[in-house]
Amino acid sequence: MSLIDGKASAAQVRARVAQGVAAFREKTGRAPGLAVVLVGEDPASSVYVRSKGKATLEAGMESFTHRLPADTDENTLLALIDQLNGDPRVDGILVQLPLPGHLDADKVIAEIDPAKDVDGFHVINAGRLSVGQDALVPCTPYGCIHLLKQQHGDLSGLHAVVVGRSNIVGKPMAQLLLSENATVTIAHSRTKDLPALVRQADIVVAAVGRAEMVKGDWIKPGATVIDVGINRLDPAPGEDKGRLVGDVAFAEAEPHAGAITPVPGGVGPMTIAMLLRNTLVAAHRREGLADPEGL
Ligand code: NDP
């Protein structure tokens, strides 16, 4: 069994992005820029936004963080996005989700210029991905496919079961696997006999949001398991915070799997690395340059 080290892979991607940023600066005389918009003070979102800003600077890019109060109205938020769309220093725009309940995330995402949509959530990018055109691809599934290609090289003909069909993980994950010539099955909450389906998989991608739902005996011997889930358990007595676990029962699954991602330290670190990669790619495309190589 091999443990898939997402931290190490993410560090490699980030180092390559930093080299790409230096080359981009030389060609264009400016750094790529990423703008992150946070509405409200959700503690988890604040942590994500801070670490995105830090990683952006570490890659040599410009970072613009916009923190808006929780009661910001839709027009104010849309006006900020328009301003960022028109700002030549900004190559990537990310609106941290979830938004407060009174704001419509679909409407907000639709306002982002698709060329700057580094989360890859705009319908134009989702459509491009599904028809096989150059798209900005959602960061988490892109990170997963990177890990899978590192592990397997060629994914042709492998049976991949993706558990979860969200627009941000499950669906783009399935599209990416298909574009790598895997045979793809998408499972969701109405799927019948999920354990039997998962037992057929050479590759399992779990993106459900339910702590340790995928059990060890669901895993075909030697299968590769990518665990996207991030779930915090209730704190044990005497603990301040509960443990972070994935959607796969790791200790049970590990002996069956050929390779598996841990939580934390698997898919998580790849998401930020791919955000930086997408920002660099967006900057190249906006300047009419070929996509950076090796990313
Ligand atoms: P969503 O809640 O949007 O989607 C969950 C999916 O799981 C849905 O398609 C749902 O099916 C399916 N599902 C729910 N219950 C079951 C079940 N019992 N059996 C089979 N399928 C089920 O979640 P996300 O896709 O946004 O996120 C999934 C997980 O990944 C979460 O834990 C999240 O925290 C994590 N995540 C991690 C990231 C990272 O950087 N590592 C980034 C993004 C997410 P249906 O459609 O039928 O309701």
Side-chain angles (χ1 to χ4, degrees), residues 214-234:
V214 175
K215 303 301 178 201
D217 65 359
W218 299 14
I219 305 299
K220 179 164 101 175
T224 300
V225 180
I226 303 287
D227 190 352
V228 181
I230 303 178
N231 310 287
R232 197 171 282 286
L233 297 178
D234 291 337

Side-chain angles (χ1 to χ4, degrees), residues 2-226:
S2 69
L3 198 63
I4 300 176
D5 187 346
K7 256 190 182 163
S9 294
Q12 282 170 7
V13 171
R14 287 171 64 164
R16 266 184 259 138
V17 168
Q19 285 168 1
V21 167
F24 180 87
R25 286 178 98 130
E26 241 170 63
K27 280 187 207 131
T28 64
R30 71 176 186 93
L34 173 63
V36 177
V37 180
L38 173 64
V39 185
E41 277 150 23
D42 176 67
S45 294
S46 299
V47 172
Y48 289 142
V49 166
R50 236 194 334 274
S51 50
K52 284 168 186 172
K54 189 166 161 266
T56 307
L57 294 174
E58 280 170 11
M61 301 191 195
E62 270 204 275
S63 166
F64 309 95
T65 303
H66 296 264
R67 293 172 199 276
L68 304 181
D71 61 358
T72 299
D73 64 46
E74 187 175 277
N75 286 341
T76 308
L77 179 56
L78 296 180
L80 171 61
I81 292 173
D82 287 342
Q83 181 202 318
L84 297 171
N85 283 340
D87 186 335
R89 300 168 304 163
V90 173
D91 297 289
I93 303 169
L94 179 153
V95 177
Q96 185 64 43
L97 300 179
L99 288 169
H102 66 285
L103 295 168
D104 177 351
D106 287 343
K107 199 166 172 189
V108 171
I109 289 164
E111 193 74 10
I112 299 173
D113 177 353
K116 297 189 175 188
D117 167 40
V118 284
D119 254 343
F121 295 163
H122 195 289
V123 288
I124 293 277
N125 281 313
R128 283 189 187 141
L129 175 62
S130 89
V131 296
Q133 292 176 5
D134 279 346
L136 287 167
V137 177
C139 304
T140 299
Y142 203 65
C144 296
I145 206 84
H146 184 93
L147 294 176
L148 282 167
K149 283 168 75 177
Q150 251 183 353
Q151 192 64 35
H152 285 270
D154 187 7
L155 307 183
S156 292
L158 296 178
H159 184 196
V161 172
V162 179
V163 192
R165 57 171 164 180
S166 72
N167 289 332
I168 65 171
V169 188
K171 279 185 202 151
M173 188 69 235
Q175 295 288 359
L176 287 166
L177 285 159
L178 200 55
S179 69
E180 295 294 332
N181 301 313
T183 300
V184 184
T185 304
I186 307 176
H188 46 77
S189 66
R190 312 287 175 89
T191 296
K192 292 200 175 114
D193 201 354
L194 184 62
L197 188 65
V198 173
R199 281 189 193 109
Q200 296 170 30
D202 304 305
I203 294 170
V204 181
V205 181
V208 186
R210 287 174 176 254
E212 303 182 318
M213 189 194 83
V214 175
K215 303 301 178 201
D217 65 359
W218 299 14
I219 305 299
K220 179 164 101 175
T224 300
V225 180
I226 303 287

